Amino acid sequence: MLVRAAILVAFAGAPAAVAAQAPIESQNGAAAGVAPRMNFGIFGVSATIVRDSLVNLARQQLGRRYVLGGTTPDKGFDCSGLIRYVLAKLDISVPRTAAQQEGIGAIVSKDTAVLRPGDLVTFGRGNRASHIGIYVGDGRFIHASSKAGRVVESQLVRPPARLIKPWRGARRILAGADSSAAESSGG
């Protein structure tokens, strides 16, 4: 599904040369049809477009109220419901809870210099995430905050406090030519 979203955006309006035909093989190796041969050089630009769309969709939810278990703008969001809603708008299906969402995508170094807008950032104590948000760039992320009672944009790196869960890590769900940080993060 992730590749589908990237491919849909990557080839919208792509030049005819990009869509040259190539045979598709079925699971048993027999020819199963014809698919476009892809020019992967355009993925860097398209991944950036998808990331920008993801951030814009998240920003449209700023100010929506926090509701435990919430998954819609009208009724409100909890942190994982916000993630699920925004990604569903891009035709990307993800699990329901922050702990489950923490397991999707490629691990990215916990370093704001390598994070890209659209990366998921996870928070919590112990051995699993209990909070999640969307990195938007410049050391900031959008999340449904139970403390604030609404969807807010916050600094990613904050001083420790009792009600603020520590930053656990990051996941990249939208890969592209500019996503080498995930591979070089040591994992």
Side-chain angles (χ1 to χ4, degrees), residues 65-71 75-79 96 144 149:
R65 68 186 165 138
Y66 176 89
V67 174
L68 182 63
T71 59
K75 293 185 179 180
F77 293 108
D78 67 8
C79 64
R96 174 62 184 98

Side-chain angles (χ1 to χ4, degrees), residues 102-110 114-115 119-120 168-173 179-187:
E102 178 182 42
I104 63 171
I107 296 171
V108 180
S109 177
K110 200 174 122 178
V114 297
L115 289 176
D119 287 347
L120 300 182
R168 288 178 51 86
R171 294 291 194 152
R172 180 151 302 147
I173 55 170
S179 296
S180 61
E183 292 84 34
S184 65
S185 68

Side-chain angles (χ1 to χ4, degrees), residues 99 102 124-130 168:
E102 178 182 42
R125 295 176 177 86
N127 60 0
R128 68 182 192 143
S130 57
R168 288 178 51 86

Side-chain angles (χ1 to χ4, degrees), residues 21-26 30-36:
Q21 300 295 307
I24 299 175
E25 290 184 8
S26 66
V34 177

